[in-house]
Amino acid sequence: MKKINVKKGTLLQQKGEISSKIYLVESGLLRSYTIDKKGKEHIYMFGPENWLVADNCEPNTPCQLFIDAIEDSIIYVATKEELLKEGPDLNALLKRLETMQNRIIMLMSSNAKERYEHFVKTYPNITQRVPLKMVASYLGITPEALSRVRQVLSQKT
Amino acid sequence: MKKINVKKGTLLQQKGEISSKIYLVESGLLRSYTIDKKGKEHIYMFGPENWLVADNCEPNTPCQLFIDAIEDSIIYVATKEELLKEGPDLNALLKRLETMQNRIIMLMSSNAKERYEHFVKTYPNITQRVPLKMVASYLGITPEALSRVRQVLSQKT
DNA sequence: CCTATGCATTGATGTAAATCAAGAAATGAC
DNA sequence: GTCATTTCTTGATTTACATCAATGCATAGG
């Protein structure tokens, strides 16, 4: 498990690579995202401190996700084989499944405003660290739509 | 790990229950779903033969999902504790993560037609076994929208 | 310091899908 | 079998959000 420093903007993994790695964030902020056929970016996950960032693709197939650093970060890198050998953290895996379940339910049932509220709950401390357009991309809405949602929410306070 | 027979329509688990179980489907078809505050149903997952159906909620907290049988089914039931003790199937877990990742990307980036095509790929053999309105609920669209999508797709063949 | 580049906001317009409504078809109960 | 209930389809209308476009603000680089 190698420890590395990366500068803001560093691309750690490209869509299409075969042996996608696992990244454990010690400090800083990563993001994983995909680009669809229309060239549009969709953020799959943010990786702040202590999060595990990875592409859960099948072994030995091209991965789907790009991973890069939104902030200068210190991260541990491991191959999936390494992690499997030493026995992965089951609790972390279950926690991950829970997060994804919540996200799926959110995406199926929520409008723009509810999605934003869900995001604030899931990532309480990173709203100020991430540009609005990335939050919008994570939520599956446009920056314009998110801007308007935040406007009405801020008027309520 | 108990083996049980359930009739079509049997409710195995309610939203709000504390000790949610794990269900391994031997034959038949289960579904897990939630009901939002407007009373609308959202299907989280179908469970055909050999699928594992479960609510990935935190231990000892109320679960989110209802689980019931869409067909007469034969299933194995286990508590999460049991499964953790005997060491869960890592490959199945990773496969599950992959499925969910694909679903999330689909929900963020696809329109009604693409969602339906994604569904047919993910569950090739159950389109005929599941009423249209449930497929629509799984895809996060209305039955009306799905009906229209299928109409234009069938004209193309 | 000034200018270029990217980001956020705001307004006008377009559009996919939701909602509402009614009828047809399928399914199930008796 | 008939009747009742649910599901599916089709059409008309509405709506939330996307798209397009313009402007204002930052931040970064020379």
Side-chain angles (χ1 to χ4, degrees):
Chain A
M1 201 133 178
K2 228 172 54 183
K3 182 174 180 173
I4 62 172
N5 276 278
V6 293
K7 282 244 159 276
K8 174 175 176 172
T10 308
L11 188 62
L12 293 162
Q13 173 184 299
Q14 298 238 18
K15 181 175 176 176
E17 284 182 20
I18 298 296
S19 58
S20 85
K21 306 281 193 305
I22 309 244
Y23 305 92
L24 174 61
V25 182
E26 181 176 299
S27 71
L29 185 56
L30 300 187
R31 96 218 230 241
S32 60
Y33 60 100
T34 188
I35 297 183
D36 68 23
K37 49 187 184 303
K38 285 167 213 146
K40 215 167 157 183
E41 234 177 71
H42 302 277
I43 294 184
Y44 175 65
M45 183 169 274
F46 293 107
E49 291 75 14
N50 297 315
W51 280 63
L52 216 49
V53 177
D55 188 326
N56 290 112
C57 59
E58 282 185 78
N60 305 314
T61 57
C63 64
Q64 292 189 74
L65 300 177
F66 298 82
I67 297 179
D68 67 11
I70 299 181
E71 302 175 352
D72 293 351
S73 305
I74 303 170
I75 56 185
Y76 294 96
V77 185
T79 64
K80 292 186 177 173
E81 293 72 33
E82 276 183 85
L83 217 77
L84 274 177
K85 247 182 249 155
E86 66 183 58
D89 181 345
L90 266 181
N91 273 332
L93 267 180
L94 292 178
K95 184 84 189 151
R96 166 69 54 104
L97 279 172
E98 190 200 342
T99 307
M100 293 172 83
Q101 176 176 313
N102 286 331
R103 181 120 189 261
I104 288 172
I105 292 171
M106 180 271 277
L107 287 169
M108 284 197 298
S109 61
S110 299
N111 62 21
K113 175 165 155 276
E114 292 161 343
R115 288 180 193 207
Y116 179 64
E117 290 165 345
H118 174 97
F119 167 78
V120 174
K121 246 182 248 164
T122 311
Y123 294 102
N125 300 312
I126 71 166
T127 316
Q128 307 75 358
R129 293 160 66 185
V130 176
L132 174 143
K133 60 172 247 176
M134 288 192 189
V135 177
S137 167
Y138 174 84
L139 296 176
I141 62 179
T142 59
E144 292 96 329
L146 180 55
S147 177
R148 288 183 246 257
V149 163
R150 301 226 314 206
Q151 199 187 324
V152 318
L153 283 179
S154 68
Q155 282 167 1
K156 284 190 185 164
T157 29
Chain B
M1 200 130 178
K2 228 170 54 183
K3 183 174 179 173
I4 62 172
N5 276 280
V6 293
K7 281 243 159 273
K8 176 176 176 171
T10 308
L11 189 63
L12 292 162
Q13 172 184 300
Q14 297 240 17
K15 181 176 177 177
E17 284 182 18
I18 298 295
S19 58
S20 85
K21 307 281 194 305
I22 309 246
Y23 305 92
L24 173 61
V25 182
E26 181 175 299
S27 71
L29 185 57
L30 302 186
R31 96 219 232 238
S32 59
Y33 61 99
T34 188
I35 297 183
D36 69 23
K37 48 187 186 304
K38 287 167 211 143
K40 214 167 158 181
E41 235 176 71
H42 302 276
I43 294 184
Y44 175 66
M45 181 169 276
F46 293 106
E49 290 76 15
N50 297 315
W51 281 62
L52 216 51
V53 177
D55 187 326
N56 290 111
C57 59
E58 282 185 79
N60 303 315
T61 58
C63 64
Q64 291 188 75
L65 300 177
F66 297 82
I67 297 179
D68 67 11
I70 299 181
E71 301 175 353
D72 294 352
S73 306
I74 303 171
I75 56 186
Y76 294 96
V77 185
T79 65
K80 292 186 178 174
E81 293 72 31
E82 276 181 86
L83 217 77
L84 275 176
K85 247 181 248 156
E86 66 184 59
D89 181 346
L90 267 181
N91 274 332
L93 266 179
L94 293 178
K95 185 82 190 153
R96 167 68 56 104
L97 279 172
E98 190 199 342
T99 307
M100 293 171 84
Q101 177 176 312
N102 286 331
R103 181 123 189 258
I104 288 172
I105 291 170
M106 180 272 278
L107 287 169
M108 284 198 297
S109 61
S110 299
N111 61 21
K113 175 165 155 276
E114 292 162 343
R115 287 180 193 210
Y116 179 64
E117 289 164 343
H118 175 97
F119 167 78
V120 173
K121 246 182 251 165
T122 310
Y123 294 102
N125 301 311
I126 70 165
T127 316
Q128 308 75 358
R129 292 160 64 186
V130 177
L132 174 144
K133 60 172 248 181
M134 287 192 189
V135 177
S137 167
Y138 174 84
L139 297 176
I141 62 178
T142 59
E144 291 95 327
L146 180 54
S147 177
R148 288 183 246 257
V149 163
R150 300 223 315 204
Q151 199 188 322
V152 317
L153 283 180
S154 69
Q155 282 166 1
K156 282 189 187 165
T157 32

